Amino acid sequence: MSAAIIRALESEQSRLDRLYARLDEVRGRAEERLDDSRRKHVENEQELSQRDAETHFHRRRIAQLDAVEEGLCFGRLDYIGDDRPMYLGRIGLHDEGGEQLLVDWRSEAGRRFYLATAASPSGVRRRRHLHTKGRRLASVNDEVLDLEAADGSESTIGSEGALMAALDAARTGHMRDIVATIQAEQDRIIRAPLEGIMIVDGAPGTGKTAVALHRAAYLLYEHREQLQRRGVLIIGPGKQFLRYISEVLPGLAETDVLLRTPAQLFPGITADRPESEAVAAVKGRAVMAGVIASAVADREIVPRDAQPVYYEGHTLWLRPEKITAARDAARETGLPHNEARDTFHKRVIADLAMQYADIIGEDPLGGENLLGLEDRATFAAEIATDPVIRGEIEQLWPELTATDLLDDLFASRALLASAAAVLSKEERRLLQREPGGWSEADVPLLDEAAEHLGEVERDRGAALDAEQIAYAEDVLSISTGSASFDFEDEAESEILMATDLVDAALLGERQVDQKFVSVAERAAADRRWIFGHVIVDEAQELSPMVWRALLRRCVARSFTVAGDLAQSGNAAAPGSWAEVFDSSELSWRAEQLTVSYRTPAEIMAVATRVLDAIDAEAPRPQPVRSSGHEPWLEIASGRLADRVAELAAGESQTVGEGTVAIVTTPELAAELAWIDIASVLTVKQAKGLEFDSVIVVDPDAIAATSMRNLYVALTRATKRLGIVAADKPAFPGAEVL
């Protein structure tokens, strides 16, 4: 190594040392402020709220600074005619005098790092990638972009491209960010406008998930004030997937994000009831929205004949014509079922009070009734307290929860026949079941039911009265006017106010419960929370009913939708994104990712033949590299499970610190679950994940469920792919193995 290169490396290490020293200073100051906030004496609710907001802000800031410890600085740009290099990192840092030491990758200035090329250097002479381990410089590689401006006197270090190095690195079981290696087509999508629905379409390994996550980080940076209060919702296909991506956004210093699967969209519900694909397919159809609406309407009953009720020794009547009028009046309020219930009850009770007044106020001489409106109002108030009468009226318009409604609906052939007349008799038979637990496909139906039903009065027992809410609003008003912080290290727009995180109702509750909750925590507990932006990954798997639930969570219709229709495990998958969104009359635009970074050329040669059998028009991904390992086929003799375990052990030794997965059918996955040297997954569980080596067991059985499932299974590997079968497989592409 030349002396010039050694000096250059020492200079870069010195720069890193300075950046980490400044990071420590900023973090230390935040820790001091946190301690000051904790010790602050409070005498009233306003001061308590202010203290909690400050404490939360400093904790969040410290968490962000801790998260960027690894890979704080990863790039440098040298400009033509400027001897001051620009260093790029996960966050921006300034020194005490205001000089910028580190540029945030999301800033407009940082964008040049990703867009500059040799063909279009945009004033950039050299791009340098800094690879660190902890706080030490591990390696460096340079890209000279403007050869004419380079005079040959400076040191050019390294030869291996940063992108290739990242792609060839062993997987760890958690997704890594791509902040140092974002490509131009990815950068364009990451920085696209916030508004509207943007579809990120691309084949396996094209980086859809990484782009979507980095887009979340970019939007939270670019639209901080707008999104910080409402947060960002990220929807992934399963819990394994969410664990896989869980470290990406914290590592990019973003925490105002809630990660959920479609099964977790209804707080308080654990969706673990097994269900057949046939039943789930029926429940996912858009027509189920009408079924739920009809089921609610069916519980708003008008009796065919007048029904007697007894009060103070007299017979009163629940008259069909008056019940109809009360029902119509309640529906005309436009309120959900439970909230319109009060109007219905009052109308019915008013009619009963009129009947009672007519009886006891009758003039024995035949004149006008002796009782006036005030008397009738008094009777209505008294009748309303009669538990028997209220019970009779409750049967006509009951208070319902979403779980009540669906339990009753699915358990009753008669209720299903009435509410789901649009479905065939066989489809209604599939829906019928006994109460007890909920499936993933039930969750959007519960959400739909909750929208129609509204709040349940019995769950509002802890709700705030008007005085509590008024008091809380006064506190927030005072807090907004008096709050003033002096944070020299953060921009004023970054300061988190009490009103950003606590509304009047929540603050009122905190008169009893002083625990502070973050945006993500509040959103997780509130089904009605409205997010500033929603990101949906593996979107091709979502049913129309899930889309309805998601659209309710972002009224601004600001979505990033990542998916690949060729990977859909649903036999009834749409043929285009237009089928998904045009039916809802939503405005959307599509972006296409064309380069496969994960799947090497050797594996793609097999997977493409499967893709040919799925869809001749689907874009073929272009592999960016070769692994040097051809896919292999093993015809297992004897006990299949034992042979798979042996092969998995061999793969584990080959990839060393890398990851190995076995992907197969649910039945075989259960049989192979004892193998602990590799992750044993069904195709559904493997969606969105990647491993250094993948063994696909019984590919023909996977293909029998869906050729798309086999396509997914074959494209999970970053380096090595093995096929194990009891007999020579017949799937498309097997002939080249």
Side-chain angles (χ1 to χ4, degrees), residues 120-140:
S120 179
S122 301
V124 176
R125 185 180 75 251
R126 177 177 61 184
R127 174 167 48 219
R128 172 169 287 176
H129 294 269
L130 307 174
H131 311 285
T132 59
K133 188 173 183 179
R135 296 189 169 197
R136 303 301 300 174
L137 186 66
S139 63
V140 172

Side-chain angles (χ1 to χ4, degrees), residues 21 31 47 77 131 169 186-187 218 253 303 363 374 377 474 479 599 625 684:
E31 289 170 346
E47 293 179 355
L77 287 183
H131 311 285
Q186 297 172 330
D187 183 81
Y218 169 77
D363 186 349
E374 290 185 5
D474 287 342
S479 172
T599 311
R625 66 194 174 98
K684 183 177 181 180

Side-chain angles (χ1 to χ4, degrees), residues 641-707:
D642 290 340
R643 185 55 183 150
V644 170
E646 292 172 2
L647 292 168
E651 288 299 307
S652 180
Q653 284 188 331
T654 300
V655 300
E657 295 181 356
T659 56
V660 179
I662 298 167
V663 182
T664 187
T665 63
E667 295 78 15
L668 276 174
E671 291 183 27
L672 301 174
W674 60 271
I675 301 175
D676 57 6
I677 203 166
S679 298
V680 179
L681 303 168
T682 66
V683 176
K684 183 177 181 180
Q685 292 169 334
K687 285 201 172 184
L689 307 183
E690 62 181 14
F691 306 87
D692 292 274
S693 176
V694 172
I695 300 174
V696 177
V697 180
D698 200 350
D700 285 350
I702 296 174
T705 64
S706 169
M707 199 67 74

Side-chain angles (χ1 to χ4, degrees), residues 359-560:
I359 293 172
I360 68 170
E362 183 180 9
D363 186 349
L365 300 179
E368 293 184 0
N369 194 290
L370 301 176
L371 301 176
L373 289 177
E374 290 185 5
D375 298 309
R376 296 167 192 258
T378 300
F379 293 154
E382 293 172 350
I383 292 171
T385 64
D386 186 287
V388 176
I389 292 178
R390 287 196 66 86
E392 293 288 341
I393 300 174
E394 181 72 17
Q395 295 298 314
L396 303 177
W397 193 293
E399 183 179 59
L400 296 167
T401 65
T403 54
D404 291 337
L405 183 79
L406 289 192
D407 267 338
D408 293 346
L409 177 65
F410 292 152
S412 170
R413 184 179 300 176
L415 288 176
L416 277 170
S418 176
V422 67
L423 300 179
S424 69
K425 185 179 293 186
E426 174 60 19
E427 289 170 333
R428 294 198 297 272
R429 186 193 66 77
L430 288 172
L431 292 179
Q432 193 170 352
R433 72 177 197 200
E434 292 301 316
W438 302 100
S439 71
E440 181 174 333
D442 288 326
V443 170
L445 303 185
L446 289 167
D447 196 75
E448 189 80 24
E451 283 295 304
H452 285 282
L453 294 173
E455 289 191 49
V456 179
E457 187 175 349
R458 61 177 177 265
D459 287 343
R460 297 197 295 263
L464 307 173
D465 60 29
E467 288 185 6
Q468 286 177 299
I469 293 177
Y471 173 79
E473 288 174 341
D474 287 342
V475 170
L476 288 179
S477 176
I478 295 170
S479 172
T480 303
S482 64
S484 176
F485 304 125
D486 179 21
F487 294 129
E488 63 184 58
D489 297 316
E490 295 87 21
E492 186 175 349
S493 62
E494 295 271 331
I495 297 172
L496 204 64
M497 307 295 292
T499 47
D500 291 337
L501 293 163
V502 188
D503 61 17
L506 181 62
L507 183 56
E509 290 172 354
R510 280 161 41 90
Q511 295 179 47
V512 178
D513 180 6
Q514 307 299 342
K515 183 180 178 181
F516 193 85
V517 291
S518 67
V519 169
E521 288 170 329
R522 291 177 63 197
D526 187 353
R527 187 195 66 81
R528 298 167 301 167
W529 187 269
I530 303 300
F531 292 89
H533 189 75
V534 175
I535 291 175
V536 184
D537 206 346
E538 300 293 336
Q540 72 277 356
E541 303 300 326
L542 302 191
S543 70
M545 290 305 297
V546 174
W547 277 115
R548 287 179 62 88
L550 291 178
L551 289 168
R552 281 192 283 270
R553 282 157 174 78
C554 187
V555 295
R557 299 295 189 262
S558 178
F559 279 76
T560 299

